Amino acid sequence: MPAQIIDGKLIAQNLREEVTAKVARRLADGKTKPTLATVLVGSRVDSATYVSAKQKACAELGMGSVSHNLPEDISQEELEKIIKSLNADKSINGILVQLPLPAHLNEERILQLISIEKDVDGFSPLNIGRLAQKGREPLFVPCTPYGCIYLLEKSGVKIEGANAVVLGRSNIVGMPAALLLISRNATVTVCHSRTKDIAGMIRQADILIAAIGKTEFVRGDWIKPGAAVIDVGINSKPDATKKSGYRLVGDVNYDEAKETAGFITPVPGGVGPMTIAMLMNNTYRAAEIQDS
Ligand code: GUN
């Protein structure tokens, strides 16, 4: 039986509507407008696209945004000064530094500087450290991995006791996704470029989160029958039938995998829309946390 398609666009839209309603209630109560500061360094086209989508979402959900578009050659000191001033600015609830930063900047020091109460991306060492420890709760969970878990939960996929494979170990997706699965009592294997038998590992997975950034890397015959497949990849693939000359595909060969999987996210329209919806929810929550 072909897989149930997990409609990330619809699930994200429902979450966005919930956040919109909560923001409207907050404003009706005379409280401040949740406001996100975005920090974009340099001129990477993909980063600029993501940041402008985040700002657009703020406006659509009734929240505020302030943008800092900074030159590629900004110094560490200058960038740190900007982060410190955003930390001190009471009109700013969330701070998002779009990654990756140019190579000359120390990303770790920048992320460490963001006040934990404004760390809506959940990348500060304190939030990640809490996520990694049993019985501790981070204030904010990174948006894309949390989006993956949210899609599984909304689709009724049982995480507790499941064998889960996370393909990729990045700080942004793979590692926090693995921590979130562990916190929900899955048994987790993290596969990466040095893993000996990736196909064999994936064949045992009830849940697969693929975040390796390789076009259609996972083949259909690697998927355990009935497994839930969450595809985080966004890769462009040449396609002469498209006006642009390419189309977006994931890290999983969707056409093959959907024949065996129990649940699968499409690309686009799966995990992608969840990232921004989660960021909006975190920004709303940041404003609530800062009220008290
Ligand atoms: N770069 C790729 N994904 C993300 C994300 O979720 N947040 C930030 N800040 N940068 C990213």
Side-chain angles (χ1 to χ4, degrees):
M1 208 170 60
Q4 182 178 319
I5 312 303
I6 298 178
D7 187 345
K9 225 165 131 181
L10 179 68
I11 295 172
Q13 184 54 33
N14 290 341
L15 177 58
R16 285 167 72 120
E17 282 168 17
E18 280 174 32
V19 177
T20 304
K22 287 192 284 192
V23 170
R25 215 171 306 135
R26 191 181 151 81
L27 296 180
D29 287 346
K31 295 181 183 168
T32 59
K33 189 186 257 205
T35 299
L36 175 70
T38 60
V39 177
L40 173 65
V41 181
S43 50
R44 274 180 69 121
V45 176
D46 57 345
S47 291
T49 307
Y50 291 135
V51 167
S52 67
K54 290 166 186 180
Q55 287 163 348
K56 186 163 161 257
C58 284
E60 286 168 355
L61 274 62
M63 299 199 270
S65 71
V66 174
S67 66
H68 290 260
N69 293 342
L70 306 169
E72 178 90 26
D73 61 355
I74 190 170
S75 68
Q76 178 81 18
E77 198 186 352
E78 271 302 306
L79 184 55
E80 288 186 8
K81 226 159 79 185
I82 290 166
I83 303 295
K84 283 179 191 161
S85 78
L86 292 171
N87 279 342
D89 184 341
K90 287 210 175 341
S91 71
I92 299 296
N93 301 113
I95 302 171
L96 176 132
V97 178
Q98 188 65 28
L99 302 176
L101 290 171
H104 70 280
L105 295 169
N106 183 329
E107 177 184 301
E108 187 185 354
R109 264 179 44 201
I110 297 297
L111 296 179
Q112 201 167 337
L113 210 55
I114 298 173
S115 148
I116 185 171
E117 295 196 335
K118 298 190 177 186
D119 177 33
V120 287
D121 246 340
F123 292 152
S124 84
L126 204 51
N127 268 318
I128 291 288
R130 286 188 185 172
L131 186 62
Q133 289 183 318
K134 210 170 163 201
R136 310 257 161 90
E137 285 288 331
L139 274 184
F140 300 102
V141 174
C143 302
T144 303
Y146 193 31
C148 296
I149 302 296
Y150 194 84
L151 290 177
L152 289 169
E153 290 178 341
K154 285 284 169 189
S155 307
V157 175
K158 190 160 180 256
I159 299 176
E160 180 158 326
N163 286 335
V165 164
V166 178
L167 184 53
R169 53 178 163 176
S170 69
N171 291 335
I172 293 178
V173 186
M175 199 51 82
L179 295 171
L180 281 167
L181 288 164
I182 292 168
S183 75
R184 282 156 175 78
N185 298 316
T187 302
V188 181
T189 304
V190 178
C191 294
H192 47 76
S193 53
R194 313 281 165 85
T195 299
K196 286 208 179 88
D197 178 16
I198 291 184
M201 295 288 179
I202 291 176
R203 283 196 178 103
Q204 295 175 45
D206 305 307
I207 295 171
L208 169 66
I209 296 184
I212 202 176
K214 288 191 176 167
T215 302
E216 296 175 330
F217 177 78
V218 177
R219 306 304 305 256
D221 66 350
W222 302 4
I223 305 293
K224 181 177 172 182
V229 176
I230 305 292
D231 192 349
V232 184
I234 303 178
N235 311 295
S236 32
K237 182 180 180 182
D239 183 344
T241 69
K242 300 279 175 197
K243 218 166 92 185
S244 60
Y246 71 90
R247 70 189 165 98
L248 294 179
V249 298
D251 291 350
V252 176
N253 186 314
Y254 179 82
D255 288 336
E256 292 177 3
K258 76 178 187 335
E259 298 304 321
T260 315
F263 300 83
I264 191 165
T265 58
V267 176
V271 176
M274 289 307 302
T275 300
I276 293 183
M278 283 297 168
L279 177 68
M280 296 299 105
N281 194 41
N282 280 352
T283 304
Y284 162 77
R285 285 189 45 243
E288 292 276 299
I289 288 167
Q290 288 157 42
D291 283 340
S292 51

